[in-house]
């Protein structure tokens, strides 16, 4: 199974995120994330076995960590050759960064393989296929960020997801939830 560890956005978020994403339609052709698929990825594992899944759950079961405050504060992009490739809502949370490092160390000790990138807290809105107007695209980001009111929420669970890929796009199924105290 293809798996990743992530967190859900606040209940009030999906409509806002979808509205932000679709405001870019006139500036680019994009693959928009479905509302039900919004999440913040902490670790991506790729294909894992049932044994690895059980090992991941065992590591998470040993965690004793309190609920985490997080703030989503604006829109950003990952660029390639000065062209936007992925557009997202940016997040900040010192406690989430601390928890990420704790889990990362435990995964390494337990020889659980994952895509070992530093944490960039973000919620993907869409993947850019073609930009029609880079100026319009960038102006839209600036307009959104000038008017963006931070969205603060509490992370209560860390979720292990199974990512099912099909011609209709990905579907994410919750395999396990670790409740934070």
């Amino acid at each position: 199974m293809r798996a990743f560890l992530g967190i859900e956005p606040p209940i009030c978020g999906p409509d806002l995120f979808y509205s932000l994403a679709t405001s870019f339609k006139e500036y680019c052709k994009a693959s928009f994330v479905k509302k039900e698929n919004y999440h913040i990825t902490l670790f991506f594992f790729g294909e894992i076995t049932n044994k690895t899944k059980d090992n991941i759950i065992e590591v998470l079961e040993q965690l004793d960590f309190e609920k985490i405050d997080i703030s989503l504060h604006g829109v950003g992009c990952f660029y390639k050759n000065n062209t936007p490739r992925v557009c997202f809502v940016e997040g900040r949370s010192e406690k989430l960064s601390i928890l990420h490092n704790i889990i990362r160390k435990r995964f390494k000790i337990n020889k659980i393989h994952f895509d070992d990138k530093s944490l960039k807290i973000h919620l993907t809105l869409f993947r850019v296929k073609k930009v029609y107007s880079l100026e319009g695209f960038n102006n839209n980001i600036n307009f959104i960020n000038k008017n963006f009111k931070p969205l603060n929420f509490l992370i209560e669970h860390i979720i292990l997801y199974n990512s099912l890929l099909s011609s209709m796009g990905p579907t994410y199924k919750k395999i396990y939830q670790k409740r934070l105290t």
Side-chain angles (χ1 to χ4, degrees):
M1 83 183 66
R2 191 169 184 263
F4 66 92
L5 193 65
I7 56 176
E8 289 180 311
I11 292 172
C12 63
D15 289 335
L16 168 66
F17 304 143
Y18 192 75
S19 175
L20 291 173
T22 57
S23 74
F24 286 87
K25 279 187 173 182
E26 66 184 278
Y27 310 113
C28 68
K29 180 179 180 180
S31 172
F32 295 93
V33 174
K34 296 176 191 171
K35 287 182 188 182
E36 62 270 17
N37 283 350
Y38 288 130
H39 67 279
I40 296 171
T41 300
L42 300 176
F43 294 93
F44 179 73
F45 302 105
E47 290 293 328
I48 62 170
T49 63
N50 281 329
K51 182 179 180 191
T52 300
K53 175 192 75 160
D54 293 342
N55 290 343
I56 292 167
I57 291 170
E58 186 177 318
V59 167
L60 296 175
E61 279 293 320
Q62 295 169 6
L63 287 177
D64 184 21
F65 212 85
E66 61 189 38
K67 296 174 184 169
I68 298 171
D69 290 314
I70 186 169
S71 174
L72 300 177
H73 58 87
V75 173
C77 288
F78 294 128
Y79 290 84
K80 183 176 181 182
N81 301 324
N82 296 320
T83 302
R85 304 306 303 156
V86 175
C87 191
F88 52 82
V89 178
E90 296 181 277
R92 288 188 194 123
S93 174
E94 187 175 326
K95 285 185 179 180
L96 184 58
S97 295
I98 291 167
L99 178 60
H100 183 270
N101 284 330
I102 290 168
I103 295 171
R104 181 179 173 273
K105 287 176 186 172
R106 292 186 184 182
F107 284 163
K108 286 186 174 232
I109 289 168
N110 287 279
K111 296 181 174 44
I112 296 170
H113 299 284
F114 57 93
D115 189 2
D116 192 8
K117 294 180 182 174
S118 57
L119 179 64
K120 165 88 172 150
I121 300 171
H122 71 283
L123 183 143
T124 299
L125 297 171
F126 59 89
R127 287 168 180 74
V128 179
K129 295 179 183 263
K130 181 179 181 180
V131 176
Y132 305 134
S133 169
L134 185 57
E135 182 180 359
F137 190 99
N138 289 331
N139 286 342
N140 196 41
I141 288 176
N142 292 335
F143 175 79
I144 289 169
N145 287 339
K146 182 178 176 184
N147 296 290
F148 197 96
K149 292 181 180 32
L151 181 58
N152 301 308
F153 66 102
L154 198 61
I155 301 169
E156 297 185 7
H157 296 92
I158 298 172
I159 303 164
L160 181 61
Y161 291 93
N162 181 6
S163 174
L164 305 164
L165 301 178
S166 75
S167 60
M168 301 297 290
T171 302
Y172 304 141
K173 178 183 171 194
K174 294 177 186 176
I175 299 171
Y176 168 82
Q177 291 188 77
K178 169 62 179 174
R179 183 164 182 76
L180 302 178
T181 56

